[in-house]
Amino acid sequence: DELYQAEEWKRQGNDQFKDGNYLEAYDMYTNAIEACPDALTGDAILKQRDEFREAEREKAFSRQRLDEETRRNRKKDDTTTTNNNDNNNNNNTKEPERPKPIPEFQLAPQPHADKLAVYYCNRAAALIHLERYDEAIKDCDVSILLQPTYTKALVRRSSAFEKSDQTEEALRDAKTALELEPTNAMLRKTVARLQKIEDERLEKLKAETLGKLKDL
């Protein structure tokens, strides 16, 4: 049974991880991912997400151009009307709509998504110990797409972001994890710590920007 074999690879990976053999654990978790039946690859999942985001960005850009063209045409119309008509038009003119946020990609339900999410999340933990943070973030991305409420994957991605000096992203994931587990004291401490780091980073950036402006 393929799923049984995948679970066995995971168990072996867990044993290697506990012993501090992170490269061997990585290999075991990779075997578990590959053994999981009827599963999309992580690259295929991320490709779907990236293509969705690109299509949505193009839609948003097209809407923005259309809105700008509409506003220009209204201004032209205003200059050719009488003052009375101007007043009427102003009363009837709708406020331009605010840009809509780009929707989040949602992966179609996958077979054994819960188990596959664990395999990717566990492999991300091994990658963090191997200091391969970009790969860890990608594995967490896949895990979260498979299981959007998987707190452990959010926490591990937050850790990988922090270790690669991406504190804004680390804080975002920690806050999302805390929303999912509001009574988790450890998460609350992590959010507070990351918030302080991010506030200090922004203050430093502000001071540097002001310094450069003074030098102009």
Side-chain angles (χ1 to χ4, degrees), residues 111-176:
H112 316 299
D114 54 341
K115 296 186 181 299
L116 196 57
V118 172
Y119 305 157
Y120 276 103
C121 186
N122 286 5
R123 191 170 75 170
L127 285 165
I128 289 171
H129 280 282
L130 294 168
E131 299 182 2
R132 291 158 61 178
Y133 304 126
D134 288 345
E135 293 173 73
I137 289 167
K138 286 184 179 179
D139 271 3
C140 288
D141 285 348
V142 175
S143 183
I144 293 163
L145 288 169
L146 287 162
Q147 288 283 89
T149 59
Y150 191 12
T151 306
K152 188 175 286 188
L154 285 162
V155 171
R156 285 186 177 155
R157 189 170 69 177
S158 175
S159 176
F161 275 135
E162 183 181 4
K163 290 179 184 297
S164 54
D165 296 322
Q166 300 179 68
T167 53
E168 181 180 358
E169 291 81 359
L171 177 60
R172 178 198 64 205
D173 277 350
K175 284 181 174 179
T176 303

Side-chain angles (χ1 to χ4, degrees), residues 197-211:
I197 294 172
E198 180 63 7
D199 289 344
E200 290 172 352
R201 183 187 73 84
L202 292 174
E203 282 298 319
K204 183 179 178 181
L205 182 62
K206 181 180 177 181
E208 289 174 353
T209 302
L210 289 173

Side-chain angles (χ1 to χ4, degrees), residues 172-187:
R172 178 198 64 205
D173 277 350
K175 284 181 174 179
T176 303
L178 184 58
E179 288 174 3
L180 292 169
E181 295 187 13
T183 61
N184 189 316
M186 184 66 70
L187 279 175

